[in-house]
Amino acid sequence: MQAIDARLLRGAAVPTAAAGAIAVVLCTVLVGGKGLIGALLGSVIVLAFFSVTIVIISRVAQSQPQLLLGYAMLTYLGKIIFLAVLMIAFKHTTLFHFRSFGFTMLGLTLVWLAAETRAVLKTKIFYADPSAIPDSLKPAAPKRPESTAESEPSPLGGR
């Protein structure tokens, strides 16, 4: 994983984990033990899903950048299908509070997206490596003629 991808991962995961801790405490206070389990499970799923996506996209970008968009769409489709299966499987569960689970996942998804957007906007991502540009292609600084006070035109129009 490149350093820039690790920065993006940290920039999104840390605020999401903090929001997850708040959600766990809030659901525990409002619902009880089942709210704790639901919020904790929702937090783990959101952090795992989005972290895995960044890791996969980072590896694909290094090895096969032409397939980047395809892999991004596949990870998105995989997440949607897996979340739908989880929601259907746990709809009538008594193991945890389903609304705590769902609202925690929704809230943390929004926090992740906002934090990742902020991290991307704050990171300077070069589309070309500036150090790889040969000296012959770098723009030369324009040469300015040496001037004296007598050779410069005056603002009044005379010399």
Side-chain angles (χ1 to χ4, degrees), residues 74-89:
L74 281 175
T75 58
Y76 176 74
L77 181 64
K79 283 190 285 192
I80 296 299
I81 291 171
F82 191 70
L83 283 177
V85 167
L86 283 177
M87 290 297 199
I88 291 169

PDB file of all heavy atoms in Angstrom, residues 74-89:
ATOM      1  N   LEU A  74     -16.758  -3.388  -8.793  1.00  0.00           N
ATOM      2  CA  LEU A  74     -16.965  -4.727  -8.239  1.00  0.00           C
ATOM      3  C   LEU A  74     -16.987  -4.709  -6.710  1.00  0.00           C
ATOM      4  O   LEU A  74     -17.800  -5.413  -6.100  1.00  0.00           O
ATOM      5  CB  LEU A  74     -15.877  -5.687  -8.731  1.00  0.00           C
ATOM      6  CG  LEU A  74     -16.069  -6.231 -10.139  1.00  0.00           C
ATOM      7  CD1 LEU A  74     -14.865  -7.066 -10.553  1.00  0.00           C
ATOM      8  CD2 LEU A  74     -17.330  -7.065 -10.218  1.00  0.00           C
ATOM      9  N   THR A  75     -16.102  -3.939  -6.087  1.00  0.00           N
ATOM     10  CA  THR A  75     -16.129  -3.873  -4.627  1.00  0.00           C
ATOM     11  C   THR A  75     -17.416  -3.213  -4.145  1.00  0.00           C
ATOM     12  O   THR A  75     -17.986  -3.624  -3.140  1.00  0.00           O
ATOM     13  CB  THR A  75     -14.913  -3.121  -4.066  1.00  0.00           C
ATOM     14  OG1 THR A  75     -14.869  -1.803  -4.594  1.00  0.00           O
ATOM     15  CG2 THR A  75     -13.615  -3.846  -4.363  1.00  0.00           C
ATOM     16  N   TYR A  76     -17.888  -2.205  -4.868  1.00  0.00           N
ATOM     17  CA  TYR A  76     -19.150  -1.559  -4.509  1.00  0.00           C
ATOM     18  C   TYR A  76     -20.308  -2.546  -4.628  1.00  0.00           C
ATOM     19  O   TYR A  76     -21.134  -2.678  -3.710  1.00  0.00           O
ATOM     20  CB  TYR A  76     -19.392  -0.346  -5.409  1.00  0.00           C
ATOM     21  CG  TYR A  76     -20.722   0.320  -5.173  1.00  0.00           C
ATOM     22  CD1 TYR A  76     -20.934   1.088  -4.034  1.00  0.00           C
ATOM     23  CD2 TYR A  76     -21.763   0.174  -6.074  1.00  0.00           C
ATOM     24  CE1 TYR A  76     -22.154   1.694  -3.805  1.00  0.00           C
ATOM     25  CE2 TYR A  76     -22.988   0.772  -5.857  1.00  0.00           C
ATOM     26  CZ  TYR A  76     -23.177   1.528  -4.723  1.00  0.00           C
ATOM     27  OH  TYR A  76     -24.390   2.113  -4.493  1.00  0.00           O
ATOM     28  N   LEU A  77     -20.362  -3.271  -5.744  1.00  0.00           N
ATOM     29  CA  LEU A  77     -21.421  -4.255  -5.944  1.00  0.00           C
ATOM     30  C   LEU A  77     -21.354  -5.354  -4.882  1.00  0.00           C
ATOM     31  O   LEU A  77     -22.382  -5.771  -4.339  1.00  0.00           O
ATOM     32  CB  LEU A  77     -21.311  -4.863  -7.346  1.00  0.00           C
ATOM     33  CG  LEU A  77     -22.362  -5.897  -7.719  1.00  0.00           C
ATOM     34  CD1 LEU A  77     -23.750  -5.266  -7.742  1.00  0.00           C
ATOM     35  CD2 LEU A  77     -22.035  -6.505  -9.072  1.00  0.00           C
ATOM     36  N   GLY A  78     -20.158  -5.797  -4.564  1.00  0.00           N
ATOM     37  CA  GLY A  78     -19.984  -6.814  -3.526  1.00  0.00           C
ATOM     38  C   GLY A  78     -20.471  -6.339  -2.175  1.00  0.00           C
ATOM     39  O   GLY A  78     -21.112  -7.101  -1.421  1.00  0.00           O
ATOM     40  N   LYS A  79     -20.179  -5.087  -1.844  1.00  0.00           N
ATOM     41  CA  LYS A  79     -20.651  -4.543  -0.562  1.00  0.00           C
ATOM     42  C   LYS A  79     -22.166  -4.466  -0.513  1.00  0.00           C
ATOM     43  O   LYS A  79     -22.781  -4.822   0.495  1.00  0.00           O
ATOM     44  CB  LYS A  79     -20.066  -3.149  -0.321  1.00  0.00           C
ATOM     45  CG  LYS A  79     -18.633  -3.157   0.112  1.00  0.00           C
ATOM     46  CD  LYS A  79     -18.174  -1.804   0.564  1.00  0.00           C
ATOM     47  CE  LYS A  79     -17.950  -0.902  -0.608  1.00  0.00           C
ATOM     48  NZ  LYS A  79     -17.236   0.329  -0.265  1.00  0.00           N
ATOM     49  N   ILE A  80     -22.774  -4.003  -1.592  1.00  0.00           N
ATOM     50  CA  ILE A  80     -24.234  -3.877  -1.632  1.00  0.00           C
ATOM     51  C   ILE A  80     -24.886  -5.257  -1.482  1.00  0.00           C
ATOM     52  O   ILE A  80     -25.834  -5.425  -0.698  1.00  0.00           O
ATOM     53  CB  ILE A  80     -24.690  -3.201  -2.942  1.00  0.00           C
ATOM     54  CG1 ILE A  80     -24.180  -1.772  -3.013  1.00  0.00           C
ATOM     55  CG2 ILE A  80     -26.198  -3.241  -3.090  1.00  0.00           C
ATOM     56  CD1 ILE A  80     -24.674  -0.875  -1.914  1.00  0.00           C
ATOM     57  N   ILE A  81     -24.391  -6.251  -2.205  1.00  0.00           N
ATOM     58  CA  ILE A  81     -24.960  -7.599  -2.126  1.00  0.00           C
ATOM     59  C   ILE A  81     -24.774  -8.190  -0.733  1.00  0.00           C
ATOM     60  O   ILE A  81     -25.710  -8.741  -0.141  1.00  0.00           O
ATOM     61  CB  ILE A  81     -24.356  -8.514  -3.208  1.00  0.00           C
ATOM     62  CG1 ILE A  81     -24.840  -8.070  -4.592  1.00  0.00           C
ATOM     63  CG2 ILE A  81     -24.703  -9.973  -2.958  1.00  0.00           C
ATOM     64  CD1 ILE A  81     -24.138  -8.759  -5.740  1.00  0.00           C
ATOM     65  N   PHE A  82     -23.575  -8.036  -0.178  1.00  0.00           N
ATOM     66  CA  PHE A  82     -23.313  -8.593   1.147  1.00  0.00           C
ATOM     67  C   PHE A  82     -24.159  -7.904   2.216  1.00  0.00           C
ATOM     68  O   PHE A  82     -24.686  -8.569   3.121  1.00  0.00           O
ATOM     69  CB  PHE A  82     -21.824  -8.501   1.475  1.00  0.00           C
ATOM     70  CG  PHE A  82     -21.432  -9.271   2.700  1.00  0.00           C
ATOM     71  CD1 PHE A  82     -21.443 -10.661   2.692  1.00  0.00           C
ATOM     72  CD2 PHE A  82     -21.068  -8.616   3.858  1.00  0.00           C
ATOM     73  CE1 PHE A  82     -21.088 -11.376   3.820  1.00  0.00           C
ATOM     74  CE2 PHE A  82     -20.712  -9.336   4.993  1.00  0.00           C
ATOM     75  CZ  PHE A  82     -20.720 -10.716   4.981  1.00  0.00           C
ATOM     76  N   LEU A  83     -24.307  -6.585   2.125  1.00  0.00           N
ATOM     77  CA  LEU A  83     -25.154  -5.873   3.092  1.00  0.00           C
ATOM     78  C   LEU A  83     -26.614  -6.288   2.956  1.00  0.00           C
ATOM     79  O   LEU A  83     -27.319  -6.419   3.962  1.00  0.00           O
ATOM     80  CB  LEU A  83     -25.016  -4.360   2.912  1.00  0.00           C
ATOM     81  CG  LEU A  83     -23.757  -3.748   3.483  1.00  0.00           C
ATOM     82  CD1 LEU A  83     -23.701  -2.263   3.165  1.00  0.00           C
ATOM     83  CD2 LEU A  83     -23.683  -3.958   4.976  1.00  0.00           C
ATOM     84  N   ALA A  84     -27.083  -6.489   1.734  1.00  0.00           N
ATOM     85  CA  ALA A  84     -28.462  -6.940   1.534  1.00  0.00           C
ATOM     86  C   ALA A  84     -28.661  -8.322   2.149  1.00  0.00           C
ATOM     87  O   ALA A  84     -29.679  -8.571   2.814  1.00  0.00           O
ATOM     88  CB  ALA A  84     -28.797  -6.958   0.044  1.00  0.00           C
ATOM     89  N   VAL A  85     -27.697  -9.206   1.964  1.00  0.00           N
ATOM     90  CA  VAL A  85     -27.785 -10.542   2.558  1.00  0.00           C
ATOM     91  C   VAL A  85     -27.800 -10.442   4.080  1.00  0.00           C
ATOM     92  O   VAL A  85     -28.590 -11.123   4.753  1.00  0.00           O
ATOM     93  CB  VAL A  85     -26.618 -11.428   2.053  1.00  0.00           C
ATOM     94  CG1 VAL A  85     -26.494 -12.707   2.869  1.00  0.00           C
ATOM     95  CG2 VAL A  85     -26.793 -11.749   0.587  1.00  0.00           C
ATOM     96  N   LEU A  86     -26.935  -9.589   4.646  1.00  0.00           N
ATOM     97  CA  LEU A  86     -26.919  -9.407   6.102  1.00  0.00           C
ATOM     98  C   LEU A  86     -28.250  -8.865   6.615  1.00  0.00           C
ATOM     99  O   LEU A  86     -28.764  -9.331   7.631  1.00  0.00           O
ATOM    100  CB  LEU A  86     -25.790  -8.461   6.516  1.00  0.00           C
ATOM    101  CG  LEU A  86     -24.391  -9.022   6.530  1.00  0.00           C
ATOM    102  CD1 LEU A  86     -23.391  -7.928   6.899  1.00  0.00           C
ATOM    103  CD2 LEU A  86     -24.278 -10.168   7.514  1.00  0.00           C
ATOM    104  N   MET A  87     -28.793  -7.876   5.927  1.00  0.00           N
ATOM    105  CA  MET A  87     -30.053  -7.274   6.365  1.00  0.00           C
ATOM    106  C   MET A  87     -31.192  -8.299   6.307  1.00  0.00           C
ATOM    107  O   MET A  87     -32.024  -8.342   7.202  1.00  0.00           O
ATOM    108  CB  MET A  87     -30.398  -6.058   5.502  1.00  0.00           C
ATOM    109  CG  MET A  87     -29.484  -4.891   5.731  1.00  0.00           C
ATOM    110  SD  MET A  87     -29.640  -4.331   7.416  1.00  0.00           S
ATOM    111  CE  MET A  87     -28.978  -2.720   7.289  1.00  0.00           C
ATOM    112  N   ILE A  88     -31.217  -9.097   5.262  1.00  0.00           N
ATOM    113  CA  ILE A  88     -32.267 -10.115   5.143  1.00  0.00           C
ATOM    114  C   ILE A  88     -32.073 -11.210   6.201  1.00  0.00           C
ATOM    115  O   ILE A  88     -33.029 -11.654   6.838  1.00  0.00           O
ATOM    116  CB  ILE A  88     -32.286 -10.704   3.716  1.00  0.00           C
ATOM    117  CG1 ILE A  88     -32.769  -9.631   2.729  1.00  0.00           C
ATOM    118  CG2 ILE A  88     -33.172 -11.937   3.642  1.00  0.00           C
ATOM    119  CD1 ILE A  88     -32.575 -10.003   1.275  1.00  0.00           C
ATOM    120  N   ALA A  89     -30.828 -11.624   6.397  1.00  0.00           N
ATOM    121  CA  ALA A  89     -30.555 -12.699   7.352  1.00  0.00           C
ATOM    122  C   ALA A  89     -30.847 -12.285   8.792  1.00  0.00           C
ATOM    123  O   ALA A  89     -31.323 -13.097   9.591  1.00  0.00           O
ATOM    124  CB  ALA A  89     -29.103 -13.154   7.221  1.00  0.00           C
TER     125      ALA A  89
END
